[in-house]
Amino acid sequence: MSYFVTGATGFIGRNLVEKLLEREGEVHVLVREGSRERLDALIERWGAGDRVKPVTGDLTEPLLGVSEEDRKALAGVEHFFHLAAIYDMTADETQNAMLNVGGTQNAVQLADELGAGVFHHVSSVAVAGRFKGHFTEDMFDEGQELHTPYHRTKFESEKLVREKV
């Protein structure tokens, strides 16, 4: 089994990787050059040795900035988990759009190029916006008020995945 994870150093991502390491297979994780030390510390904490394979890239780049050499090595990855996003309620529309929507588009593009088996998109309750009452997966677009750039871009990211995957 093979896995590729964006957002592996975040709260949910590091817990996901820890669970994936309980299974057989390699876990490839996207990491920005500036976050490599943080990832290395997590790899040590997980006791993962060489089972976690860092893949240098950037959420804002086409194909997540993953090199041709790494794309060849990742071809046919069975599970592609996209968790990376910006969660900053003070970030402006441009930054949210670039990281949340653009990052998701770049992840979908990479997954397609790799021929990934399953694309797992980790969304957010933010897609519900200010909806009052019980909100379910089946209720994605209920005309809910999306009152911040974060809420709007998480909605757009999920919409993109629902339409393309």
Side-chain angles (χ1 to χ4, degrees):
M1 196 62 64
S2 58
Y3 310 95
F4 182 83
V5 181
T6 72
T9 60
F11 177 74
I12 296 171
R14 66 179 177 256
N15 285 288
L16 170 64
V17 171
E18 190 168 15
K19 290 295 184 188
L20 293 176
L21 289 168
E22 293 174 4
R23 301 175 177 190
E24 290 189 24
E26 293 181 340
V27 182
H28 304 268
V29 299
L30 185 73
V31 62
R32 285 175 293 152
E33 197 60 54
S35 296
R36 185 59 195 260
E37 284 183 25
R38 188 172 169 188
L39 177 62
D40 289 344
L42 285 170
I43 290 170
E44 186 174 329
R45 187 181 98 193
W46 294 322
D50 63 354
R51 287 195 53 218
V52 173
K53 309 287 187 192
V55 177
T56 302
D58 188 315
L59 203 57
T60 65
E61 297 293 326
L63 299 170
L64 298 178
V66 174
S67 72
E68 185 175 345
E69 180 181 341
D70 283 336
R71 292 194 311 270
K72 285 180 183 176
L74 290 165
V77 68
E78 293 164 284
H79 292 273
F80 190 116
F81 293 89
H82 178 53
L83 290 85
I86 184 172
Y87 177 68
D88 179 351
M89 299 305 271
T90 64
D92 64 19
E93 190 83 41
T94 301
Q95 192 174 21
N96 270 280
M98 181 176 62
L99 294 169
N100 292 342
V101 182
T104 299
Q105 175 62 51
N106 294 332
V108 168
Q109 178 191 38
L110 178 61
D112 285 346
E113 177 159 315
L114 298 177
V118 180
F119 186 86
H120 306 272
H121 177 248
V122 178
S123 186
S124 168
V125 70
V127 302
R130 290 192 173 170
F131 183 86
K132 299 283 186 210
H134 184 75
F135 194 88
T136 69
E137 287 283 324
D138 298 334
M139 301 168 60
F140 173 67
D141 192 352
E142 297 292 314
Q144 62 269 36
E145 180 186 352
L146 301 166
H147 57 291
T148 70
Y150 176 75
H151 288 82
R152 286 189 294 278
T153 58
K154 291 308 286 183
F155 177 88
E156 290 301 319
S157 295
E158 184 163 333
K159 181 178 178 185
L160 186 151
V161 171
R162 285 174 180 248
E163 291 173 353
K164 298 219 178 218
V165 177

